[in-house]
Amino acid sequence: MTPAPEPGPRWLTESEQDAWYAWRRMFPLVNAEIARDLNQDSGLSEADYDVLSVLGSTDGHRMRISALAELMRWSRSRLSHQLTRMEQRGVVRREEVASDGRGAEVVLTDSGVTMITEAAPLHVESVRRHLLDALAPDQLRTLAEVGEVLRERLGARRKT
Amino acid sequence: MTPAPEPGPRWLTESEQDAWYAWRRMFPLVNAEIARDLNQDSGLSEADYDVLSVLGSTDGHRMRISALAELMRWSRSRLSHQLTRMEQRGVVRREEVASDGRGAEVVLTDSGVTMITEAAPLHVESVRRHLLDALAPDQLRTLAEVGEVLRERLGARRKT
DNA sequence: ATGTGGTTGTTGATGTGTCATCTATAGAAG
DNA sequence: CTTCTATAGATGACACATCAACAACCACAT
C-alpha cells in the first residue's frame, strides 16, 4: 500500500516499514470489528456511541454543543450533522440556552439514556475481545506511551 | 469518549483505559495530519495515494481490477467508485481485458505516473515527521508486534 | 444447447465527514 | 447607540464508504 516506485531521499528501513504497515492495517481492522459488534449488539454507530457515552456521563445528561465538540475533538460541523441525525431518531434533543442567545445544548432523551446504558457493557466486552485481551501488559503500556508521545508532539507542532 | 454511565460486569482497569484511549485517539490524530500534508503537498487523498502507489509499483503500471481490490483489501464497490472518480480526473484509465469478457484492468496514465512519483517522497517525509521519528526503536518494534498479534487473532476468529 | 451457479464489475441509495459559507448573537471600542 | 470583530451553530456541496441489487459473462453440468 505504501512502497512507491521511485525511492525518495530517505526511504524507510525495514523495521520502519513494518511499524508503518502495522499502523495502517491494525486500526481499520480492529475498529471495523468493534464497530460491527456495536452495530449488531446495539444498533449504534461508533459516532453515536461516542456522543451518547459522553452525554451519559454528564450531570443532567446534557451539555453545551460547542463544549461537547471540543471535548470530543470534533468539528462543530461534524457534531451538528451527527446531532441532526440523532435528533431525528429521537435519542437526543436540542434546547436553546437562556444565557447565550446563540448557544444550544444537547440533552439525552429517555430513549437515549436506555440505549447507552444497555450498549456500554457490551461494548466494553467487545473492546476486550478484539483488543485488550489480545495484548500483553507491556504491550498495552507501550500503546499508552506511544499515544502520549504522539499527542505531545502534535501539541508542540500546533504552536509553531 | 468511552467511560459509560453504568459500569458493566467487567469494567476497564486504569491501564486498560489508558491503552484504549490512546488507541482511539492516536490513529485519527496522526492520520489526519498525514492526510492533510498529502493533500496540501500533492492534492491527493489517502485513497488516491494508495491506489496510485500500488499501480505505480506494478509491471506496466496496470492491474486487473479485482486483483487490485483484493490486494488492497477493498470491496470491489469501493474500488469501482474510487476508480470512477480518478478516471474523471484523468489519472487512471480502464481497459477491457481480452481473456475474460467480464474483466477489466486499470492503467496509470502518464499524469498518474507523474503524480505518484512526485508525491511518494513527500509522503514518506510526512510519515516520518508525524509518526516514525517520534518513536523509539523499541516502540516501533512493539507496534509491529501488536499489529501481528491482532492480525493473527482476527484470522483465527474468522475461521470460527 | 441449455440451465445453473459463481464471478466480475458497475450502479444507486444512504450514511457519514469535511470544507466553505451563512445567520444570529455577543462583546468590546469608538 | 453604532460599528467591528469573534463566536455558536446550521447548512449545502462535495468526497468517500457501505450495502443491496444488477447485468454480463464464465464454467460446467446435464
Side-chain angles (χ1 to χ4, degrees):
Chain A
M1 217 78 72
T2 322
E6 314 284 324
R10 203 173 140 230
W11 203 239
L12 300 182
T13 67
E14 193 170 343
S15 67
E16 283 172 336
Q17 271 210 13
D18 291 347
W20 171 237
Y21 287 2
W23 175 273
R24 286 302 305 269
R25 286 170 189 275
M26 238 179 348
F27 288 87
L29 220 64
V30 171
N31 272 12
E33 294 289 309
I34 294 178
R36 200 176 45 73
D37 280 359
L38 185 57
N39 187 50
Q40 288 185 353
D41 294 344
S42 318
L44 298 173
S45 70
E46 287 198 297
D48 294 334
Y49 184 89
D50 287 346
V51 170
L52 290 177
S53 77
V54 172
L55 286 178
S57 59
T58 58
D59 213 29
H61 293 160
R62 70 174 54 233
M63 191 179 294
R64 187 64 184 265
I65 289 182
S66 60
L68 181 55
E70 191 172 357
L71 179 60
M72 299 179 70
R73 293 154 208 261
W74 281 20
S75 70
R76 296 177 201 291
S77 170
R78 179 181 179 185
L79 182 56
S80 183
H81 283 300
Q82 177 72 26
L83 291 180
T84 300
R85 291 185 297 258
M86 293 176 76
E87 197 168 19
Q88 277 163 5
R89 287 183 293 142
V91 300
V92 299
R93 198 177 2 148
R94 284 187 236 240
E95 285 183 9
E96 293 180 4
V97 62
S99 63
D100 187 334
R102 302 162 294 183
E105 286 183 335
V106 225
V107 195
L108 277 188
T109 63
D110 291 349
S111 152
V113 174
T114 305
M115 274 191 187
I116 186 57
T117 306
E118 290 175 353
L122 298 172
H123 184 244
V124 172
E125 287 305 316
S126 172
V127 169
R128 282 194 184 287
R129 235 184 353 264
H130 297 300
L131 181 68
L132 300 175
D133 286 352
L135 302 178
D138 64 304
Q139 291 175 324
L140 290 180
R141 197 162 23 74
T142 300
L143 273 185
E145 248 176 58
V146 166
E148 185 60 22
V149 169
L150 295 176
R151 203 158 55 74
E152 272 173 20
R153 157 169 283 232
L154 193 68
R157 202 161 266 286
R158 278 269 166 72
K159 286 166 203 143
T160 319
Chain B
M1 215 78 75
T2 322
E6 314 282 325
R10 206 172 138 228
W11 202 240
L12 300 183
T13 67
E14 192 170 345
S15 67
E16 283 172 335
Q17 270 209 13
D18 290 348
W20 171 237
Y21 288 2
W23 175 274
R24 285 303 304 270
R25 284 169 190 276
M26 248 186 329
F27 190 74
L29 219 64
V30 171
N31 264 29
E33 293 291 308
I34 294 178
R36 200 175 46 72
D37 279 359
L38 185 58
N39 187 50
Q40 287 184 354
D41 293 344
S42 316
L44 298 173
S45 69
E46 287 199 295
D48 294 333
Y49 183 88
D50 287 346
V51 170
L52 289 177
S53 77
V54 172
L55 286 178
S57 59
T58 59
D59 213 30
H61 293 159
R62 70 172 54 232
M63 190 179 295
R64 187 63 183 266
I65 289 181
S66 61
L68 181 56
E70 192 172 357
L71 180 60
M72 299 180 70
R73 294 156 209 260
W74 281 21
S75 71
R76 296 177 202 292
S77 171
R78 178 181 179 185
L79 181 56
S80 183
H81 283 299
Q82 178 71 27
L83 290 181
T84 300
R85 290 186 297 261
M86 293 177 78
E87 198 169 19
Q88 276 163 3
R89 286 183 294 141
V91 301
V92 300
R93 195 173 358 108
R94 284 187 236 238
E95 283 183 11
E96 294 179 3
V97 62
S99 61
D100 187 333
R102 300 162 295 184
E105 286 183 334
V106 225
V107 196
L108 277 187
T109 63
D110 291 350
S111 152
V113 174
T114 304
M115 274 192 187
I116 186 58
T117 307
E118 291 175 352
L122 298 172
H123 184 244
V124 172
E125 287 304 316
S126 172
V127 170
R128 281 194 185 288
R129 234 183 355 264
H130 297 300
L131 180 69
L132 301 175
D133 285 352
L135 301 178
D138 63 305
Q139 291 176 323
L140 291 179
R141 196 162 26 73
T142 301
L143 273 186
E145 246 175 61
V146 166
E148 185 60 23
V149 169
L150 295 176
R151 206 159 53 73
E152 272 173 20
R153 156 169 281 233
L154 195 66
R157 202 160 267 285
R158 277 267 167 73
K159 287 166 204 143
T160 318

